Amino acid sequence: MFVMVLQQQWPTFIDKLPGAELSIFRSEKERNVMQASWILQSKEQADEMQAIGDQIIIPYRKKLMPKTNRFEGALVAIVNNDD
């Protein structure tokens, strides 16, 4: 349900967050457990994403998965083997 809501609603909001990236992960052990991680370009985008989340995500999350963890922070580093 979470992915379906994002797929339907996200195109309406994506232009408000240029350069934003959304990754969705699903637990292999518990198929009903998912995590969404947004990488945003600024604090202003984070504030806008908060408003979007309150509008299109939180109502579904409260119904379907009331137990959640939320983490907000700043990107410290990216480690990869790209040249």
Side-chain angles (χ1 to χ4, degrees):
M1 180 70 149
F2 177 70
V3 173
M4 184 178 76
V5 169
L6 287 176
Q7 287 174 333
Q8 290 176 350
Q9 299 293 324
W10 190 247
T12 305
F13 298 98
I14 192 68
D15 291 337
K16 294 181 180 181
L17 303 167
E21 182 178 309
L22 169 62
S23 298
I24 301 171
F25 303 90
R26 173 179 278 157
S27 171
E28 291 182 359
K29 293 180 181 179
E30 299 178 57
R31 300 293 290 166
N32 65 328
V33 175
M34 299 180 83
Q35 174 186 329
S37 296
W38 280 268
I39 297 177
L40 304 167
Q41 302 301 311
S42 66
K43 173 68 172 128
E44 291 75 25
Q45 277 193 348
D47 294 340
E48 182 67 29
M49 185 64 238
Q50 179 70 41
I52 292 168
D54 289 347
Q55 183 178 352
I56 68 170
I57 297 168
I58 301 301
Y60 292 99
R61 190 185 75 192
K62 285 181 180 178
K63 291 178 188 175
L64 301 172
M65 189 70 167
K67 182 181 174 188
T68 63
N69 293 315
R70 184 178 189 134
F71 171 81
E72 294 181 26
L75 180 65
V76 176
I78 296 175
V79 179
N80 60 37
N81 62 355
D82 292 343
D83 291 327

